[in-house]
Amino acid sequence: MAARSNPHHPDVVQTAWNPRLALLVAAAFFMEFLDGTVLTTAIPTISADFAIPAADVNITMTAYLLTVAIGIPLSGWLAERFGARRIFCTAIAVFTLSSLACAFSQDLATLTLSRIAQGAGGAMMVPVGTLVVLRGTPKSELLRATAFLVWPGLLAPVLAPLVGGALTTYLSWHWIFLVNLPLGVAAFVASLRLVPAVAGDPGRRLDWPGMLLTTVGVGALVTGLELASSHPGLPWAGISAAAGIAALAGAVLWMRRAPHPLFNLQVFRTRTFRAMATGGFVYRVTISSVPFLLPLMFQAGFGWSPLHAGALVAAVFVGNIGIKPATTPLIRKFGFKAMLVFASLASAVTFALCAFLTPETPVALMAALLVCSGAFRSIGFSAYASVQYADIPPAQLTSANTVSATLVQLGTGSGIAIAALLIRTFEGLSSAAQDPAGPFRGAFLAMAVLMLASTVDSILLPRHAGAAVSRPGPAPGAEPLPPRPAEGRAPRR
């Protein structure tokens, strides 16, 4: 591994990457992503143990997701101030110990506080872990590195109901958290060996106004999205979301003029990064709605059992994994633009086809459709995860990574909230007695139309966007690859 030109500067990129480090970070992500939704299936059991209404237990999930969302913006500064290795190891330790506290909670208040601590650890694990991998990965290997980092976000939402249901049914809800203990200890030990020790910057100042505005904005927006999906009849969802948007707008205005801003907003001048915040955000919103819509349609619309519905939704998981070895070769062959257009357009088609499913549709045909949906989903996720960093200079990597992680949280929450709002909207327009699955059909069609906005944004990308990543890089010490001329024309002299 090549030495750093400035070992005290955390943003200098190394010239080699470590697959074991990428796998370690991916495993840590999987724990964090899984714990965000796995508790859903255990809510009835927890409510019975605590002798409280099941609806009250939802506060534990909201507290976790909210803590993760508002903690991410601060994580980039912590990594630069104290060193990424120290913060990543601390995050794993906090997450593991708080998981133990969750397992031994005897009442709702203790469980909620433990979930907040768990969310604080998760908020540091996600962006700091990604930063650790990105700093040690040259552009030519970025596709391979992100292939490791993408799979937790693809698999966790699909596997969470199955894992949570199995642990709750055959053991107890406490094991949802206890399984994190051996995984957390192993990850902590591996982090001490694999994560490079890079000194932080003791003089790095914290942008307090920027942090306050960003934290309030993200927190209020996430709260509004949660309220929109759980209590749509109350006006507080709109008020909270509006306050969040206003605070984030104030944060942008402040950080454009602040001497030491929390984020370097110049990252948005990079077209490939901006694609993640525009079409990529829409893509994540629509994709995040699928694990929410499908089980509900199968159970409430088709009258299937949870086990029957969960087994069929697992076909999405098969598509995710099955296409994964081919995603990098496909992107290298056809380029980011072509694959992003294909993934979004094909996903829109699968959404539209899901709207026409009925209980009489052959199970094999349903499974084939969901496998294809999972495959297209995997291609799009991998492409966006890589192209967003393709043209980011090393000095802006921390800001780009933190902004991306924040938008991922907002996109996931928005997808579920919008899906729930669409279901309620179409419930008022159709007769559930005639077709119980009608509201879900309308929601899938609406999501298909929304996905087309992502397609349009991808079409507007430059033809060779992200070529520094999608084209194999030169060998160390070799001259950089020349620009690729347009097909059918000779290069200008």
Side-chain angles (χ1 to χ4, degrees):
M1 183 176 295
R4 293 175 180 266
S5 59
N6 182 359
H8 299 292
H9 195 295
D11 284 321
V12 179
V13 181
Q14 298 178 5
T15 57
W17 81 292
N18 187 345
R20 292 184 298 171
L21 175 60
L23 187 60
L24 164 66
V25 173
F29 287 4
F30 186 75
M31 287 194 300
E32 190 275 323
F33 290 150
L34 191 69
D35 275 45
T37 54
V38 72
L39 203 62
T40 304
T41 53
I43 285 178
T45 305
I46 295 175
S47 67
D49 282 358
F50 292 168
I52 57 175
D56 292 352
V57 184
N58 287 330
I59 186 65
T60 61
M61 294 184 60
T62 302
Y64 177 85
L65 296 174
L66 183 61
T67 305
V68 170
I70 65 178
I72 285 176
L74 182 61
S75 62
W77 178 84
L78 289 172
E80 290 192 340
R81 173 64 177 79
F82 299 101
R85 179 190 183 187
R86 181 180 299 177
I87 297 302
F88 186 64
C89 292
T90 300
I92 294 176
V94 170
F95 188 87
T96 305
L97 293 175
S98 57
S99 296
L100 180 63
C102 289
F104 284 96
S105 298
Q106 299 297 316
D107 52 54
L108 183 62
T110 305
L111 179 60
T112 302
L113 292 175
S114 301
R115 287 283 280 175
I116 291 174
Q118 194 182 37
M124 292 185 288
M125 277 199 306
V126 173
V128 176
T130 303
L131 187 62
V132 166
V133 174
L134 293 178
R135 282 178 179 166
T137 305
K139 294 293 179 71
S140 60
E141 298 290 348
L142 191 58
L143 273 173
R144 294 178 60 195
T146 53
F148 284 85
L149 302 180
V150 164
W151 68 264
L154 291 170
L155 303 189
V158 179
L159 293 182
L162 181 62
V163 172
L167 291 174
T168 304
T169 301
Y170 297 107
L171 296 171
S172 69
W173 65 267
H174 307 82
W175 282 94
I176 290 176
F177 303 106
L178 290 175
V179 294
N180 289 333
L181 301 185
L183 298 176
V185 171
F188 184 84
V189 173
S191 298
L192 295 177
R193 299 184 58 184
L194 296 177
V195 178
V198 180
D201 181 6
R204 179 75 176 180
R205 297 181 181 180
L206 178 60
D207 176 15
W208 287 100
M211 187 198 70
L212 180 62
L213 287 169
T214 303
T215 301
V216 171
V218 172
L221 191 54
V222 171
T223 300
L225 294 172
E226 287 289 317
L227 291 174
S229 59
S230 58
H231 300 86
L234 299 178
W236 299 113
I239 295 174
S240 180
I245 293 173
L248 289 177
V252 170
L253 293 175
W254 165 261
M255 285 187 281
R256 290 179 63 181
R257 301 180 179 181
H260 303 285
L262 185 65
F263 305 136
N264 185 350
L265 298 181
Q266 290 185 352
V267 295
F268 287 104
R269 295 181 180 178
T270 304
R271 180 64 180 93
T272 47
F273 182 81
R274 201 163 63 246
M276 177 278 304
T278 52
F281 185 81
V282 175
Y283 186 86
R284 182 170 288 276
V285 167
T286 52
I287 288 296
S288 299
S289 69
V290 174
F292 176 79
L293 287 173
L294 276 177
L296 282 179
M297 184 174 76
F298 289 154
Q299 295 179 63
F302 293 0
W304 291 0
S305 67
L307 181 61
H308 188 182
L312 193 56
V313 173
V316 178
F317 160 78
V318 175
N320 289 338
I321 294 300
I323 197 64
K324 184 55 64 183
T327 53
T328 296
L330 285 171
I331 294 173
R332 289 204 186 278
K333 181 175 179 60
F334 298 103
F336 281 110
K337 178 177 179 177
M339 296 314 301
L340 287 174
V341 171
F342 168 77
S344 58
L345 194 58
S347 295
V349 172
T350 60
F351 288 174
L353 292 177
C354 284
F356 294 98
L357 295 177
T358 67
E360 291 74 31
T361 304
V363 174
L365 188 59
M366 288 189 187
L369 175 62
L370 297 186
V371 167
C372 291
S373 178
F376 303 146
R377 182 172 179 252
S378 183
I379 293 172
F381 264 66
S382 298
Y384 275 118
S386 301
V387 76
Q388 63 181 336
Y389 300 116
D391 303 314
I392 293 292
Q396 297 179 7
L397 187 58
T398 300
S399 294
N401 177 60
T402 309
V403 170
S404 174
T406 303
L407 291 177
V408 164
Q409 287 294 124
L410 294 178
T412 303
S414 299
I416 297 174
I418 292 174
L421 182 61
L422 287 172
I423 292 173
R424 292 185 175 90
T425 300
F426 285 106
E427 281 177 347
L429 300 177
S430 62
S431 173
Q434 296 177 357
D435 184 11
F440 303 99
R441 302 185 196 284
F444 269 115
L445 288 174
M447 283 296 179
V449 174
L450 182 61
M451 177 64 84
L452 295 179
S454 175
T455 306
V456 172
D457 184 77
S458 298
I459 291 174
L460 297 177
L461 277 173
R463 183 175 184 179
H464 298 303
V469 172
S470 61
R471 298 174 66 189
E479 292 294 327
L481 290 172
R484 182 185 296 174
E487 294 182 5
R489 295 181 181 179
R492 291 184 178 181
R493 297 187 180 274

